[in-house]
């Protein structure tokens, strides 16, 4: 059987008991290492599991899945995913490929950013569509996420923004020349996300992501040192919330007073926070 095992968000101890039992008996153990990252390396995982761990990069998962699935009809293969197994469509595709080969599959869920973001104090029922924000380049600044944010904002819902990570990426030149040379890993920060939102807002001018829009910058959610900073997008452009991974929540107008009271201690500037909150709720 192919097992997709959620690892949770922080370190080697976040795996569930059920997931750990699967890992300990599996013939091979793979770690998906490009849609997200843990805060510890594979060596920590190997020491905790007592098993070797094979890193599965994007190329292996998307182009060489037969290597992962080899023998899975006769023995157990564990495919480890940071967060929850179905937090990325790639993992759905892997399951479909296994099913085409008549290989049974089973997933073992765990915490993901989609539910752990409740640690901000914002109610999960008040979240709309989740969107991804990718790194802009000089020639490529995709803005399709703006439509999703607008739809959420139109009914007062919060928007969770998942920020881009670049792991084992090639430059265009190296890719064109067929050279297996990879760029250093990059992880989008809260400040970079806020700057890109304002850049798109300057083009759209619809007031969806304005300078005084309230948002929460989130860092290392689920870890012992998780950090939240609440402020306007203009304030978040200057904030440093520490090492990755980061995400951002745009606060919707439907927010309840209890949510306000919970997130207020995270405010970068409480006077600015109170003023922006009052402005939002006068409009709702």
């Amino acid at each position: 059987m192919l097992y997709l095992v959620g690892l949770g968000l922080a370190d080697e101890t976040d795996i569930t008991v059920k997931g750990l039992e699967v890992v300990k008996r599996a013939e091979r153990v793979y770690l998906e290492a490009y849609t997200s990252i843990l805060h510890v390396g594979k060596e920590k995982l190997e020491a905790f599991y007592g098993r070797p761990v094979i890193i599965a990069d994007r190329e292996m998962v998307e182009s060489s899945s037969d290597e992962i699935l080899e023998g899975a009809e006769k023995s157990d293969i564990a495919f480890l995913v940071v967060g929850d197994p179905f937090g990325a469509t790639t993992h759905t595709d892997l399951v479909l490929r296994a099913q085409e080969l008549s290989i049974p599959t089973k997933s073992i869920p765990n915490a993901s950013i989609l539910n752990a973001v409740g640690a901000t104090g914002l109610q999960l029922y008040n979240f709309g569509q989740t969107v991804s924000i990718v790194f802009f380049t000089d020639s490529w600044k995709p803005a399709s996420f703006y439509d999703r944010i607008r739809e959420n904002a139109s009914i007062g819902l919060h928007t969770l923004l998942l920020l881009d990570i670049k792991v084992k990426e090639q430059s265009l030149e190296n890719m064109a020349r067929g050279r297996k040379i990879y760029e250093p890993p990059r992880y989008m920060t809260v400040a970079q996300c806020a700057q890109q939102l304002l850049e798109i807002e300057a083009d759209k001018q619809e007031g969806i992501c304005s300078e005084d829009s309230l948002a929460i910058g989130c860092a290392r959610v689920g870890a012992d040192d998780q950090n939240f900073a609440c402020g306007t997008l203009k304030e978040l452009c200057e904030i440093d919330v520490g090492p990755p991974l980061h995400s951002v929540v745009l606060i919707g107008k439907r927010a309840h007073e209890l949510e306000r009271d919970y997130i207020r201690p995270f405010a970068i500037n409480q006077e600015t926070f109170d003023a922006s909150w009052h402005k939002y709720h006068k409009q709702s």
Side-chain angles (χ1 to χ4, degrees), residues 67-262:
E67 182 179 337
I68 297 172
L69 299 174
E70 183 179 358
E73 72 280 1
K74 299 177 181 177
S75 57
D76 291 339
I77 306 299
F79 184 78
L80 311 183
V81 179
V82 178
D84 185 80
F86 291 112
T89 53
T90 294
H91 310 133
T92 305
D93 187 55
L94 182 64
V95 170
L96 292 174
R97 294 187 203 182
Q99 291 173 348
E100 289 174 359
L101 298 171
S102 300
I103 296 170
T105 64
K106 185 173 183 179
S107 67
I108 299 175
N110 208 324
S112 78
I113 187 61
L114 298 178
N115 52 38
V117 73
T120 58
L122 298 177
Q123 297 171 11
L124 295 179
Y125 288 117
N126 286 341
F127 278 79
Q129 303 167 85
T130 299
V131 302
S132 297
I133 308 295
V134 301
F135 281 111
F136 286 174
T137 68
D138 291 339
S139 58
W140 189 59
K141 298 180 181 181
S144 59
F145 64 84
Y146 193 89
D147 296 334
R148 307 286 82 78
I149 296 174
R150 183 199 298 111
E151 290 171 6
N152 290 343
S154 70
I155 50 177
L157 297 179
H158 312 311
T159 303
L160 172 61
L161 312 177
L162 303 180
L163 309 191
D164 201 4
I165 70 173
K166 297 291 187 186
V167 179
K168 204 175 180 181
E169 297 278 338
Q170 292 176 279
S171 68
L172 292 177
E173 180 182 354
N174 286 328
M175 190 180 301
R177 295 177 179 273
R179 297 186 297 212
K180 296 292 185 179
I181 300 173
Y182 300 99
E183 301 294 295
R186 289 192 296 150
Y187 307 97
M188 185 181 289
T189 66
V190 168
Q192 288 171 322
C193 174
Q195 290 160 10
Q196 291 191 181
L197 291 176
L198 293 181
E199 189 173 344
I200 294 299
E201 181 60 47
D203 292 334
K204 301 283 189 178
Q205 296 189 357
E206 296 182 32
I208 303 299
C209 306
S210 59
E211 288 190 350
D212 60 353
S213 294
L214 277 177
I216 303 178
C218 312
R220 302 172 303 286
V221 176
D224 291 338
D225 65 342
Q226 71 180 7
N227 188 22
F228 303 118
C230 183
T232 64
L233 285 178
K234 183 177 181 180
E235 289 173 330
L236 290 182
C237 285
E238 307 296 330
I239 198 70
D240 179 4
V241 290
L245 292 173
H246 293 183
S247 53
V248 171
V249 179
L250 291 171
I251 300 173
K253 295 178 182 178
R254 188 186 289 184
H256 191 273
E257 290 180 359
L258 289 177
E259 292 177 283
R260 177 200 62 196
D261 294 345
Y262 196 100

